[in-house]
Amino acid sequence: MACACVLAGLGPGPGPSAQAFDLLGALGFGEKPPEPSANAYPYDLTIDTQGAPKEAKAAIEDASSLQRLRTEAPGAPDQLVRLAESDLPKIVDALWGLGYYDAAVTIDVAGVPLMLGQNRTEAAARAVTAYRGRARVPIRIVANPGPQYVFRNIFVLDDATGQPFTPDQLPARVVKAKPGDPARSAEVVAAEAAIVDHFREQGHPFAKVTSRQPVVFHPARAMDVTLRVRAGPVANLGPITVSGAPDVDHAVVRSFIYAQPGDPYSPTALNGIRKSVSRIEALGGVRIREAEKLDANGQLPIFVELTERKRHAFGVSALYSTIDGPEVRTYWTNRNLFGGGEVLRLEASTFYAGRAIGEPAWVRDEKRLQRSDLGGRFGFTFLKPGLWGTRNDLLVSAQAAREKGYAYTDRRAGAEVDIRHRFSDTSSLQIGVKAERGQTSDALGEVTYTLVGVPITYTYDSTDKPLDPTRGVRLTASVTPYPTFLGSTVGMTVAKANASTYWALDKDARYILAARIGLGSILGGDLEDIPSNYRFYAGGGGSVRGYRYQSLSPQIGRFPIGGKSLIDGSIEARIKVTDTIGVVPFVDAGQAYADRFPRLNEPIRVAAGLGLRYYTAVGPIRLDIAAPLNPRKGDKPVAVYIGIGQSF
């Protein structure tokens, strides 16, 4: 006869395995049970799963109070026995959660076997008493899970009609559990969550599973599961109320909310609100809360609850490079200068600038350090978001610097004013005015310049995380004309474009393919008239790893002089080995060219390498080792790079 057992409820299944803690104890790092005494009954615990899979033992360890409390000795024999008896139903439930519905569990306490449905408390307590003060009580959990049952039928019914949903209403791919899969309770719980998420994404904010009926058929070693689902009404977004953060102008906050009342409801839309509002630096937390019922217009009111960050921040960092020497950086920022989320940031740095272009630190002359040997930068940036409550932001910046790199030296001062219009959370267009005056020196000679331009930049970013993207696309394209009629000493137009894309190959984003390409071109002006710091260079940690910074460009002798065009790119496979450790094989390629467009018939330099990632809550810490594949004379065989965040 087919026995159909109806299970009252299914839990979420076993949690993280306790085996790691056993391993620590075996190595002597974990806590051990106390020694026997006249007032306590410590015990030694062993678990025998009769050769069952590791998941069965892990479930027992997670469910067992004997396992969890083994370093605490009960004060009386009957306390220890009751602790063991309380484990029996919990262990059986844990094995049922994995689909082992014929599981048999016995707990042997001091030689007395305890089983469900039997009362041997007094006999076991007497056996425990014999160990008082002389030895730990031996306890052995013996579990025979038996065969693992599988799903036979999974029914998902509309609670309103009692009929199955149509494929248009609920595609089969949503319910990931399917006939023949192990009948684990975690699979049922996951299916319920996926069904609710699906209906919520289709605009049903109150979707819920109203009942769950799993039925086990022992002769067939199978389970049928019936889920009744109430989708609830379809709703649009209602009024969006902003509260909290009283020192931040809420009109500015609303300018970062792109969803509007009347838009279709979905969790994706609410997450978009949270993500976009979180871009305001003055805010430390953004919580999105839904109303518990629809309003009189059949819409769902939304509440945006804010908390503020500390207004001021100050930081100092020190760097050292075997090529460029020491550098010290400092910054100060105010994240809410006038109460409208304005950000003012002051930055300064000083570093060893050296005396000879292109020479590494160890061959520079050893004269006494002079003031002229020091380089530095000082500047500020100011952001006023949400001008007059609109989606327009004001950006103002200025910088003065004296720098000397591998390719050139420059002294400059300049300022820029821009207006940025945010079309959405993913795209914006920026236009402004930029003026700069300076002097550069390189192997081509010295250029004293004045540039006044009109920078125009389009940005698109649909990635999910700024420092460690797993999905989406990034694109930045800019063009800046510097016409002579505005006062520029060299008439030219600088165009740049950078694009990257990211593909997660699995649901948990443990395997990611990432690709990047960069292009640049300068139209107008002769190479020797263009300031060195505006020419294009490739090579280094942000470009082609394995080659020295700025070294991949046209050269005079051994000195790079920069080019009028650029192409470079990278391909990476980002593989998570554990939750915190990852490896990244990569290939980079690139070159700058003297002509205004890349000459692809000329050699392009290629490098390959392997990276190590340590993932933190802030972002991955990056270590990359790269080697040139077609090196030139003088290129080093290996280069090492360390940083925070992915390389692109």
Side-chain angles (χ1 to χ4, degrees):
M1 176 175 79
C3 174
C5 300
V6 179
L7 306 183
L10 291 174
S17 172
Q19 289 176 322
F21 297 101
D22 287 344
L23 176 59
L24 292 174
L27 295 174
F29 295 105
E31 294 185 50
K32 295 181 179 179
E35 295 300 322
S37 70
N39 300 316
Y41 292 85
Y43 56 91
D44 286 323
L45 178 67
T46 58
I47 299 175
D48 181 2
T49 56
Q50 306 287 296
K54 291 181 180 179
E55 66 172 0
K57 184 174 182 181
I60 293 170
E61 291 175 335
D62 292 339
S64 170
S65 295
L66 286 168
Q67 168 76 13
R68 186 172 63 257
L69 302 175
R70 63 191 184 279
T71 59
E72 302 176 17
D78 60 330
Q79 290 179 0
L80 179 56
V81 175
R82 290 193 185 97
L83 184 65
E85 289 175 333
S86 72
D87 265 3
L88 286 167
K90 291 187 288 187
I91 292 172
V92 170
D93 284 347
L95 292 173
W96 281 16
L98 292 176
Y100 297 102
Y101 293 102
D102 288 336
V105 179
T106 301
I107 300 181
D108 188 296
V109 179
V112 177
L114 306 177
M115 291 179 287
L116 283 173
Q118 296 184 0
N119 185 357
R120 306 198 65 188
T121 304
E122 292 184 4
R126 287 194 299 270
V128 169
T129 303
Y131 287 85
R132 179 181 180 183
R134 68 180 184 87
R136 297 190 184 98
V137 179
I139 299 180
R140 184 166 175 255
I141 299 175
V142 180
N144 182 2
Q148 189 175 41
Y149 286 38
V150 298
F151 291 118
R152 189 174 66 175
N153 295 297
I154 301 173
F155 304 105
V156 183
L157 306 181
D158 186 340
D159 191 51
T161 65
Q163 299 299 313
F165 289 99
T166 67
D168 288 340
Q169 294 172 316
L170 184 66
R173 58 179 170 76
V174 174
V175 186
K176 296 182 180 179
K178 57 184 182 297
D181 288 348
R184 299 186 181 97
S185 62
E187 304 300 327
V188 178
V189 173
E192 291 179 2
I195 292 167
V196 170
D197 287 347
H198 168 76
F199 280 110
R200 282 172 55 82
E201 201 61 49
Q202 300 305 309
H204 300 265
F206 304 119
K208 63 183 294 186
V209 175
T210 57
S211 71
R212 170 203 303 156
Q213 189 176 32
V215 181
V216 173
F217 296 87
H218 287 280
R221 294 175 178 171
M223 173 191 280
D224 287 352
V225 179
T226 301
L227 302 176
R228 298 182 74 93
V229 179
R230 182 180 302 153
V234 174
N236 293 330
L237 297 179
I240 301 174
T241 303
V242 179
S243 62
D247 293 333
V248 180
D249 186 356
H250 287 182
V252 172
V253 176
R254 291 189 184 94
S255 79
F256 282 82
I257 299 176
Y258 303 98
Q260 298 295 323
D263 288 351
Y265 164 88
S266 73
T268 298
L270 299 188
N271 186 59
I273 295 174
R274 182 197 59 76
K275 181 180 176 182
S276 59
V277 172
S278 296
R279 298 185 189 278
I280 301 174
E281 289 192 39
L283 301 179
V286 179
R287 180 185 177 217
I288 308 297
R289 185 168 57 86
E290 306 172 28
E292 296 180 356
K293 61 181 181 179
L294 302 182
D295 63 13
N297 297 318
Q299 297 180 328
L300 183 68
I302 302 298
F303 303 93
V304 180
E305 299 172 350
L306 312 173
T307 58
E308 294 180 42
R309 297 175 72 184
K310 290 183 178 180
R311 179 170 292 201
H312 300 102
F314 176 78
V316 178
S317 63
L319 309 172
Y320 183 79
S321 166
T322 57
I323 294 176
D324 298 319
E327 179 175 357
V328 177
R329 299 176 181 174
T330 184
Y331 74 89
W332 175 88
T333 186
N334 184 314
R335 301 188 181 103
N336 193 25
L337 187 62
F338 303 121
E342 301 89 355
V343 180
L344 174 65
R345 183 181 177 95
L346 307 179
E347 295 183 78
S349 63
T350 184
F351 45 88
Y352 179 70
R355 299 192 181 96
I357 301 173
E359 290 184 353
W362 58 81
V363 299
R364 292 170 180 152
D365 61 66
E366 298 179 358
K367 294 180 181 179
R368 188 174 180 179
L369 184 66
Q370 301 174 7
R371 183 177 299 178
S372 60
D373 297 330
L374 298 178
R377 306 180 196 91
F378 175 77
F380 77 87
T381 57
F382 174 78
L383 166 65
K384 172 62 182 85
L387 283 170
W388 306 291
T390 68
R391 295 180 184 174
N392 299 317
D393 306 327
L394 171 67
L395 300 95
V396 181
S397 63
Q399 187 183 71
R402 178 184 184 274
E403 296 180 319
K404 179 173 288 188
Y406 177 56
Y408 59 85
T409 63
D410 78 273
R411 292 169 293 279
R412 67 184 187 278
E416 184 173 347
V417 179
D418 296 277
I419 295 292
R420 177 177 61 201
H421 178 74
R422 293 175 271 112
F423 297 104
S424 68
D425 188 49
T426 57
S427 65
S428 65
L429 181 66
Q430 182 172 311
I431 185 169
V433 177
K434 175 182 179 181
E436 183 173 294
R437 184 171 178 80
Q439 185 181 75
T440 65
S441 302
D442 64 2
L444 282 178
E446 186 176 283
V447 176
T448 299
Y449 67 92
T450 299
L451 289 175
V452 181
V454 182
I456 303 171
T457 303
Y458 175 77
T459 301
Y460 177 84
D461 188 346
S462 64
T463 56
D464 52 351
K465 291 181 283 187
L467 291 179
D468 187 21
T470 63
R471 297 173 176 86
V473 174
R474 283 178 180 163
L475 169 66
T476 301
S478 66
V479 58
T480 307
Y482 296 96
T484 55
F485 66 80
L486 288 180
S488 298
T489 53
V490 54
M492 63 179 184
T493 298
V494 180
K496 303 176 186 178
N498 286 280
S500 57
T501 185
Y502 311 87
W503 300 277
L505 303 182
D506 64 311
K507 178 182 66 175
D508 297 325
R510 302 185 70 87
Y511 303 92
I512 299 167
L513 290 179
R516 174 192 68 86
I517 186 170
L519 299 169
S521 177
I522 300 176
L523 305 178
D526 295 327
L527 187 62
E528 61 269 18
D529 296 327
I530 297 171
S532 305
N533 55 329
Y534 279 79
R535 302 174 198 158
F536 291 109
Y537 305 84
S543 178
V544 184
R545 288 160 287 186
Y547 293 90
R548 187 171 181 171
Y549 177 62
Q550 294 185 336
S551 66
L552 300 183
S553 85
Q555 295 185 339
I556 293 181
R558 60 191 179 91
F559 299 126
I561 58 173
K564 295 183 66 176
S565 61
L566 169 75
I567 183 170
D568 68 352
S570 303
I571 297 176
E572 293 188 346
R574 299 172 181 174
I575 303 167
K576 271 194 172 182
V577 180
T578 70
D579 289 339
T580 57
I581 301 296
V583 294
V584 180
F586 60 86
V587 176
D588 296 343
Q591 182 69 40
Y593 300 87
D595 295 332
R596 59 180 180 174
F597 298 115
R599 297 173 60 91
L600 298 183
N601 58 335
E602 294 184 6
I604 188 168
R605 300 297 166 180
V606 182
L610 184 66
L612 181 67
R613 302 290 184 268
Y614 178 73
Y615 293 92
T616 69
V618 177
I621 297 174
R622 180 177 79 251
L623 170 66
D624 289 335
I625 302 175
L629 296 186
N630 53 343
R632 305 156 303 176
K633 183 179 180 181
D635 286 329
K636 294 183 178 180
V638 172
V640 179
Y641 305 89
I642 300 175
I644 296 178
Q646 298 288 3
S647 57
F648 62 90

